[in-house]
Amino acid sequence: MHSDMAELQFREAIRAAMVEEMERDENIFLMGEEVAQYNGAYKVSEGMLDRFGPKRVIDTPISENGFAGLGIGAALNGLRPIIEFMTFNFSFVAFDQLINNAAKIRYMSGGQFKLPIVFRGPNGAAGQLGATHSTSTESIYATIPGLKVVAPSNPDDAKGLLKSAIRDDDPVIFLESEVMYGLRGEVSDEPDYLIPLGKARIAREGEDVTIVAHSKSYWIALRVADRLAEEGYSAEVIDPRTLRPLDIDTIVASIKKTNRCVIIDESNPYASISSEIAYQIQDRAFDYLDAPIRRITAKDVPAPYAKNLMEYYMPQEDDAYEACKQVMYAG
């Protein structure tokens, strides 16, 4: 471990980002269901009520449309809210606030208003939680001009990207995952650690195939790359980190090197993040492709509840591995 790195859980890295930013700027506050007295549904905000008091760490009723709108009003008046949804499935209750108000006020006011607000919380499937608690919302929010969408895959990125999101003057949708909250990893201790929004990370360099994957799908990509390496193939793994704006230049540069691409995406396939990435690759690098782009996604149905069906529904490592072999014509 480097001297300027600490090992933190994913939830601790998110908390560290919020604490550091709230200590830096008294206009920042956290609001949501159970974020204060209960320390957060997943203990992300543990200790923050004691540290900052009830005026800056605020419990709300079960009223997503109300507290999302309150946050937007606060942002319009000079504050910088962090709004936590207990799950992003509940953000649909506040959909009008997010896509009609937060996303469009700056545009519709001719730039007279900025809207520095972060909507954050767990996104996607987390085991057997049923269809209404398992939606991967990134492709929904990424279609809305005016919103930035971030989906980190590891604790270090979570801290650096969240600090940047809090400082951004536009609304940011910051998507986490319940199943990653306990994930441990090295996190920078630098006092002002920022990772710019809209910049992808080349997590692993390779020559034979490019695998693009964000959030927890990223970990599937790494396991596939390990399996391919045992057979003598080198996969390049790219984590976009920010889905809107998308760093397509980094992805296209990789395609021009490997000439093959597999995208792993937990979204439902229709009009998904993987759809958009595949389109942009063919638009910018068609002549460099030696095989059709493959994508491994969730199945095109609502998430099931039964354990065996849930495993079938989610993107599978074996399918991603086979897709890589197919685009390399490796049998």
Side-chain angles (χ1 to χ4, degrees), residues 117 172 182 279 292 330:
I117 187 169
V172 179
Y279 166 74

Side-chain angles (χ1 to χ4, degrees), residues 46-47 55 61 65 94 106 123 141 159 165 169 179-180 204 222-223 228 233 243 249 251 285 287 294 300 314:
E46 188 170 31
K55 289 186 178 180
N65 193 41
R106 189 164 195 166
N123 172 63
Y141 287 116
K159 181 182 179 184
D169 282 340
V179 300
M180 290 202 305
R204 178 169 175 154
L222 286 189
R223 292 195 296 273
L228 293 172
Y233 302 108
L243 303 173
D249 290 344
I251 296 171
D287 289 341
R294 290 289 312 276
D300 196 18
M314 293 291 285

Side-chain angles (χ1 to χ4, degrees), residues 80-258:
R80 306 184 77 89
I82 305 168
I83 304 299
E84 178 178 309
F85 292 117
M86 194 178 290
T87 154
F88 254 84
N89 291 268
F90 298 166
S91 74
F92 297 153
V93 180
F95 208 43
D96 185 58
Q97 294 292 352
L98 269 63
I99 70 170
N100 263 337
N101 290 328
K104 297 170 183 170
I105 282 174
R106 189 164 195 166
Y107 178 79
M108 294 182 70
S109 70
Q112 295 182 79
F113 295 104
K114 59 185 180 181
L115 203 74
I117 187 169
V118 175
F119 298 98
R120 51 153 294 269
N123 172 63
Q128 296 173 263
L129 297 182
T132 59
H133 291 64
S134 303
T135 309
S136 286
T137 67
E138 53 267 56
S139 58
I140 298 170
Y141 287 116
T143 63
I144 307 298
L147 296 178
K148 295 177 180 174
V149 180
V150 181
S153 66
N154 62 83
D156 190 58
D157 282 0
K159 181 182 179 184
L161 290 165
L162 183 54
K163 285 169 69 73
S164 294
I166 293 169
R167 297 187 190 191
D168 201 284
D169 282 340
D170 290 315
V172 179
I173 305 292
F174 196 90
L175 302 171
E176 302 153 15
S177 166
E178 290 103 312
V179 300
M180 290 202 305
Y181 279 137
L183 176 70
R184 302 188 71 87
E186 289 188 346
V187 176
S188 175
D189 270 344
E190 292 178 22
D192 209 21
Y193 183 59
L194 299 171
I195 296 175
L197 304 186
K199 183 60 181 173
R201 178 171 63 96
I202 302 173
R204 178 169 175 154
E205 295 194 356
E207 302 288 338
D208 298 322
V209 59
T210 298
I211 308 175
V212 182
H214 66 275
S215 190
K216 60 181 180 286
S217 294
Y218 162 78
W219 297 98
I220 298 176
L222 286 189
R223 292 195 296 273
V224 169
D226 284 342
R227 289 174 63 177
L228 293 172
E230 292 175 0
E231 300 174 26
Y233 302 108
S234 65
E236 182 146 294
V237 177
I238 296 181
D239 178 358
R241 305 196 288 198
T242 304
L243 303 173
R244 185 171 184 140
L246 178 69
D247 181 6
I248 191 64
D249 290 344
T250 295
I251 296 171
V252 166
S254 178
I255 301 304
K256 289 181 176 178
K257 181 171 64 170
T258 68

